[in-house]
Amino acid sequence: MFKLLGNCGQIINSRNLTSCLTAKFSRSTAFILSRRKHTDTPPPLQFQHIHSAANSKTFQNQRRASFSKTIAAMATGGGKDRKPPHTNRLIEEKSPYLLQHAHNPVDWFPWGQEAFDKAKAEDKPIFLSVGYSTCHWCHVMEHESFESADIGKILSDNFVCIKVDREERPDVDKVYMTFVQATTGGGGWPMSVWLTPDLHPFIGGTYFPPKDSAYRPGFKTVLLRIAKQWQSHREDLVSNGERILAALKKGTSISASPGETPPPGPDVAARCLQQLAHAYEEEYGGFSQAPKFPTPVNLSFLFSHRALHRSSAEGAQALHMALHTLRMMALGGIHDHVAQGFHRYSTDDSWHVPHFEKMLYDQAQLSVAYITAYQVSGDEFFAEVARDILSYVSRDLSDQSGGFYSAEDADSFPTAGAPKKKEGAFCVWTEQQIRELLPQPVTGATGGATQADIFIHHYGVKEQGNVRPEQDPHGELAGQNVLIVRYSLEVTAAHFDLSVPLLKEVLSGCRQRLAEVRRERPAAHLDSKMIAAWNGLMVSGFARVGAVLGEKVFIERAEKAAHFLRDHLFDAASGKMLRSCYRGEEMGVEQISEPISGFLDDYAFVIGGLLDLYEASLDAGWLEWAEALQDRQDQLFWDDQGSGYFSSETTDRSVLLRLKEDQDGAEPSANSVSALSLLRLSHYTGRGEWAERSRHILVAFSDRLIKIPIALPEMVRALTAQYHSLKQVVIAGQPHSQDTQQLISCVNSHFVPNKVLLLADGNTESFLYQRLPVLTSMTPQGGKATAFVCKNFTCSLPVTSPEELRKLLLE
């Protein structure tokens, strides 16, 4: 197993199923692509993907390529209105990604029976194109190829063309991405796969340039060769596809053997720490060289590991790696210092020049990481960053219904009426712009320094721009500055002979002024799709930050999002989650005619969010819904033979493989999240079978946990929780009384990863008392709110002071 970088910056898990499989595919692909008219040029490489150059200068040079023509469907905030010359059936869809392609001169179909029937009736292969609306290279391939009338005709005449939003249909994406990875060694988006009418893949790749080069066929050439081979060598293609599919079914199996036990938690955790330490980059933090990703799952593991090893050297090492990474990220350009939130990843080692896309799932997980950093360090810096993230999400990614939007694009028009978009245009500044916007002298500053002088110094702004040419091969950021904190507040204050509080006030005013100006710029495309799974992650973010800081506004926002999920992405009649819904033209919430059923991550992430929301709000209604969702998840996704959860249901016959995600990447795997949630739920409900089910997940993934725990750091957290057992922290008292709140605040102020928090308010008819009758014996002592800390069916002596409770929590 190894990691590869996908075209639009996603970490991909690649599994070499068998060398035979790859070799067979390579020979068949080479046969299709090696017929050239001119023998004086070398034969083309087979499918040379962008991802294969991800760690090379070639990829860095290509990454910022921009297209020269406005994409009409994405022209938000710039470009000239014009009637599109083509419209296809994707215009009837709700997905922002599909709508971006609604005016291509391609006869696109959405994934569904109509397309499958057409392929069989006309005996045509299927061309499947998968991407998402904020994917830079998806935009590039659309402009270069899908907007071409010539290529569009070839596609429509020879293939049934299907367009899939991978965020809507992760099940479809996962099946064919697994095929591409297994047969080519990697993957990414846009993904391009050719299928038989029975949906069996036989050729796959990612991005294709439109024209031939000396060593690589262009997309037009590829299409014509595949169409020809379909006519002359169909049986070979079909049989090859069937063999590959059979190998994939065998090679992707993850299961537990009877009688197995989970691997030893301490050993696996120690190995995970060792692997992270080996990957750790000392100077700027993070766990790779450029391009560098936030990987919140790594940080969560490190904080949990430190909590279990507070006095050891390895605990100190884990804490240092996590805190240093988070601090350097917050100071870097990956952090939007003007409009808040975090971009997708950094193109350099120092977190300076980002890929400017912003994803909801990053904001959700990073808000939790930063508030955890505050809990363990007490440094207000980290709390402010957590607030910063939630402010961005509340302002820019929030729907009036309570839901959260998916993402903001990296590309936008530099000015209204500009002919083309550029990456980062919405976010960057020239020195002259800053001087014009911030001309006021600062009273008391050395040499009559202006706001601009101070801002430019602190954020590393240069007259010629602060982006190195090798980071900007196409000149999109020439003369521009990506803000990055170059000096501490104390150093900048001393440089200008200012107090730190005054400097903070000056910089805050400067950022506010720049934010006002930015709001007047053409905005980047907003993907207003609302995904259940990512909303679940964001519920956790608001709930956790609100609980730690004691700021009810954040907890209330989490509750509003949970109500949104129940109102719009939950079918009460069937008890099932839905995958997504959409912002309508009138700002209402809309759904497609046949809503997409929820996938495993929609259940797992929402359940995790509801558990966090209960601990923040202590409203047991959220626990009750979490229990019902967990029952439904078990019915729909559990593998009775091999243990663990499949990512999709059995009901959709168009999905050829039921897979189990085996990597914690940009998002944690749903099995990892479920392993911990099941353990938590067992302590909330007294249902021991859920603790056993959590154990079965760990057994199913034991080979992965033992050999490559760095691939599953979130599951390692669940494994250590199983090993050490959870603490049940029960607060007996009235919810709103001061003494109860003091005890709850004590619990929330400390990071105790392996615990559940419960409120015993004396209401014996409530959900919690019905599930845990033992709560009736836990009552306030001496008229004061009282805490009980229990573990393995044994409880501590009751305590009534926060100081005594703190000792019990940290034992």
Side-chain angles (χ1 to χ4, degrees):
M1 173 270 173
F2 51 93
K3 293 180 180 178
L4 290 170
L5 178 66
N7 297 343
C8 285
Q10 303 290 331
I11 288 291
I12 302 298
N13 171 34
S14 181
R15 181 191 299 272
N16 288 328
L17 300 177
T18 63
S19 58
C20 177
L21 176 61
T22 304
K24 286 181 179 179
F25 178 80
S26 299
R27 288 195 294 270
S28 65
T29 304
F31 178 73
I32 289 175
L33 298 182
S34 63
R35 306 291 182 127
R36 296 179 62 88
K37 293 182 179 179
H38 303 289
T39 57
D40 56 337
T41 57
L45 299 178
Q46 47 194 40
F47 285 85
Q48 179 179 345
H49 303 83
I50 291 297
H51 79 271
S52 65
N55 294 318
S56 69
K57 292 183 179 179
T58 302
F59 175 77
Q60 295 299 327
N61 291 339
Q62 290 174 332
R63 191 191 58 79
R64 292 189 175 277
S66 65
F67 39 91
S68 62
K69 183 179 180 184
T70 299
I71 300 176
M74 293 181 58
T76 55
K80 297 180 179 179
D81 294 333
R82 61 182 180 86
K83 185 177 180 180
H86 304 280
T87 300
N88 57 55
R89 61 180 57 78
L90 296 185
I91 198 68
E92 302 299 327
E93 299 299 310
K94 301 293 184 184
S95 158
Y97 176 64
L98 299 189
L99 289 172
Q100 287 172 359
H101 294 264
H103 298 300
N104 297 162
V106 178
D107 189 18
W108 288 119
F109 286 79
W111 182 265
Q113 197 61 46
E114 182 184 7
F116 309 152
D117 291 344
K118 179 180 173 67
K120 289 183 178 180
E122 299 182 8
D123 196 25
K124 286 182 178 179
I126 291 169
F127 170 65
L128 174 65
S129 176
V130 182
Y132 56 104
S133 79
T134 58
C135 164
H136 177 74
W137 283 95
C138 299
H139 303 336
V140 173
M141 190 165 178
E142 182 194 14
H143 169 66
E144 293 177 338
S145 294
F146 300 144
E147 289 185 351
S148 164
D150 187 23
I151 290 177
K153 183 172 177 16
I154 295 171
L155 278 167
S156 302
D157 288 350
N158 294 279
F159 306 94
V160 174
C161 303
I162 298 179
K163 179 64 72 171
V164 167
D165 182 340
R166 67 173 297 265
E167 296 169 351
E168 275 191 328
R169 295 299 305 258
D171 55 338
V172 175
D173 174 66
K174 181 64 176 177
V175 167
Y176 295 107
M177 185 61 75
T178 301
F179 163 77
V180 171
Q181 290 170 336
T183 54
T184 70
W189 297 278
M191 177 170 62
S192 307
V193 189
W194 286 264
L195 321 176
T196 69
D198 292 323
L199 307 181
H200 292 190
F202 59 90
I203 294 289
T206 55
Y207 164 81
F208 291 91
K211 298 179 181 179
D212 295 349
S213 62
Y215 297 99
R216 186 178 185 182
F219 189 52
K220 180 178 178 180
T221 299
V222 169
L223 291 173
L224 292 173
R225 290 178 185 171
I226 292 175
K228 182 177 180 181
Q229 291 301 314
W230 180 254
Q231 297 301 321
S232 59
H233 293 85
R234 181 180 321 189
E235 291 185 3
D236 291 340
L237 295 178
V238 171
S239 62
N240 190 46
E242 291 174 349
R243 287 196 302 273
I244 290 170
L245 188 63
L248 289 177
K249 287 180 179 179
K250 182 179 180 180
T252 57
S253 175
I254 296 172
S255 62
S257 299
E260 276 191 279
T261 59
D267 293 348
V268 171
R271 183 164 176 77
C272 188
L273 177 68
Q274 183 183 54
Q275 291 177 348
L276 285 171
H278 181 73
Y280 181 67
E281 199 273 292
E282 289 283 351
E283 186 172 5
Y284 294 103
F287 302 94
S288 68
Q289 302 299 316
K292 188 175 282 187
F293 290 79
T295 55
V297 290
N298 291 342
L299 304 172
S300 294
F301 164 78
L302 292 171
F303 284 131
S304 294
H305 194 75
R306 183 265 178 183
L308 297 171
H309 302 83
R310 283 188 175 88
S311 60
S312 71
E314 65 181 66
Q317 180 187 30
L319 181 62
H320 169 74
M321 288 192 290
L323 292 181
H324 184 60
T325 296
L326 286 169
R327 186 178 297 277
M328 298 310 294
M329 283 171 52
L331 298 176
I334 191 175
H335 182 201
D336 188 340
H337 296 283
V338 171
Q340 306 160 311
F342 280 80
H343 300 293
R344 178 76 274 270
Y345 65 88
S346 174
T347 65
D348 54 70
D349 290 342
S350 61
W351 304 106
H352 179 204
V353 181
H355 173 49
F356 290 88
E357 174 187 21
K358 289 181 179 177
M359 304 299 298
L360 179 66
Y361 56 73
D362 282 326
Q363 316 310 318
Q365 294 174 89
L366 286 172
S367 64
V368 172
Y370 276 99
I371 205 61
T372 305
Y374 170 66
Q375 285 179 294
V376 301
S377 70
D379 190 337
E380 185 66 27
F381 171 83
F382 296 111
E384 285 303 313
V385 179
R387 289 189 184 97
D388 166 288
I389 295 170
L390 298 191
S391 295
Y392 160 69
V393 173
S394 297
R395 185 189 65 241
D396 292 347
L397 294 182
S398 287
D399 188 79
Q400 62 186 13
S401 66
F404 300 109
Y405 303 137
S406 296
E408 286 190 307
D409 203 351
D411 302 346
S412 63
F413 292 101
T415 59
K420 64 177 181 178
K421 294 183 179 183
K422 294 183 178 181
E423 181 168 358
F426 186 66
C427 303
V428 295
W429 306 89
T430 65
E431 186 198 46
Q432 182 180 352
Q433 287 172 330
I434 291 174
R435 291 201 177 278
E436 291 174 352
L437 292 169
L438 305 172
Q440 298 85 355
V442 175
T443 302
T446 302
T450 63
Q451 290 178 332
D453 292 327
I454 296 171
F455 191 88
I456 285 169
H457 176 83
H458 191 70
Y459 287 105
V461 176
K462 298 180 180 179
E463 183 178 3
Q464 70 275 21
N466 67 4
V467 179
R468 299 192 306 272
E470 60 268 25
Q471 295 174 293
D472 183 33
H474 296 280
E476 291 182 301
L477 299 175
Q480 302 287 341
N481 289 273
V482 177
L483 302 182
I484 179 172
V485 176
R486 290 301 190 191
Y487 304 98
S488 68
L489 290 170
E490 291 75 13
V491 169
T492 297
H495 183 80
F496 291 99
D497 198 20
L498 299 172
S499 67
V500 170
L502 178 57
L503 174 64
K504 287 184 177 180
E505 183 181 335
V506 170
L507 293 176
S508 176
C510 292
R511 292 193 299 269
Q512 184 175 347
R513 174 62 181 138
L514 295 187
E516 292 170 356
V517 173
R518 260 178 57 166
R519 284 194 288 271
E520 300 302 317
R521 292 177 174 178
H525 161 72
L526 172 69
D527 189 320
S528 56
K529 178 173 68 266
M530 290 170 273
I531 296 172
W534 299 356
N535 273 255
L537 290 175
M538 203 68 246
V539 168
S540 287
F542 274 94
R544 290 278 299 274
V545 175
V548 172
L549 298 180
E551 297 186 13
K552 291 185 178 180
V553 65
F554 292 144
I555 299 174
E556 290 167 356
R557 183 64 185 89
E559 290 181 309
K560 185 177 181 181
H563 283 294
F564 158 82
L565 284 164
R566 193 157 58 189
D567 293 343
H568 296 287
L569 288 171
F570 175 67
D571 180 10
S574 65
K576 295 173 67 172
M577 294 297 300
L578 303 176
R579 173 63 176 178
S580 54
C581 58
Y582 311 85
R583 185 181 71 181
E585 293 182 4
E586 302 301 323
M587 301 299 291
V589 177
E590 295 184 353
Q591 188 53 268
I592 56 179
S593 57
E594 295 183 13
I596 301 169
S597 295
F599 301 101
L600 175 62
D601 61 344
D602 296 306
Y603 288 81
F605 295 176
V606 169
I607 290 167
L610 293 175
L611 298 184
D612 289 336
L613 180 54
Y614 167 71
E615 294 203 357
S617 67
L618 297 174
D619 178 351
W622 300 121
L623 277 184
E624 191 169 0
W625 190 30
E627 181 190 53
L629 288 178
Q630 188 63 61
D631 278 328
R632 204 70 173 104
Q633 176 182 317
D634 293 348
Q635 296 165 8
L636 296 171
F637 304 103
W638 184 254
D639 179 1
D640 289 322
Q641 281 72 47
S643 296
Y645 292 102
F646 292 110
S647 297
S648 59
E649 295 184 48
T650 59
T651 52
D652 190 345
R653 294 185 178 181
S654 69
V655 180
L656 304 180
L657 299 175
R658 293 188 80 200
L659 301 169
K660 298 174 187 175
E661 182 60 60
D662 63 350
Q663 178 169 336
D664 297 324
E667 306 162 54
S669 82
N671 271 287
S672 296
V673 173
S674 293
L676 190 53
S677 291
L678 285 165
L679 199 57
R680 295 171 72 185
L681 276 167
S682 72
H683 285 71
Y684 284 126
T685 64
R687 293 175 60 173
E689 70 270 22
W690 275 344
E692 188 64 18
R693 181 152 287 187
S694 171
R695 183 174 170 275
H696 285 313
I697 293 174
L698 300 172
V699 172
F701 287 85
S702 60
D703 184 64
R704 192 90 156 142
L705 287 167
I706 292 169
K707 294 178 181 177
I708 323 168
I710 193 175
L712 286 167
E714 187 70 11
M715 193 173 287
V716 178
R717 290 183 65 220
L719 178 65
T720 56
Q722 277 272 0
Y723 179 85
H724 292 283
S725 299
L726 296 187
K727 292 179 179 178
Q728 288 174 304
V729 183
V730 182
I731 309 297
Q734 292 306 303
H736 303 295
S737 67
Q738 184 177 2
D739 53 355
T740 300
Q741 289 300 314
Q742 287 175 341
L743 293 177
I744 292 170
S745 178
C746 174
V747 175
N748 289 331
S749 65
H750 296 93
F751 178 62
V752 185
N754 299 333
K755 68 103 173 70
V756 293
L757 170 65
L758 304 94
L759 176 66
D761 60 4
N763 180 7
T764 57
E765 301 300 316
S766 70
F767 171 80
L768 268 178
Y769 279 81
Q770 294 299 309
R771 294 294 184 271
L772 299 173
V774 70
L775 292 179
T776 58
S777 66
M778 297 181 179
T779 58
Q781 306 292 299
K784 293 182 179 180
T786 303
F788 302 82
V789 179
C790 308
K791 185 176 180 179
N792 293 329
F793 306 103
T794 302
C795 294
S796 68
L797 292 173
V799 298
T800 57
S801 74
E803 293 75 21
E804 293 173 301
L805 177 56
R806 178 183 181 277
K807 292 178 182 178
L808 292 175
L809 292 173
L810 299 181
E811 281 182 352

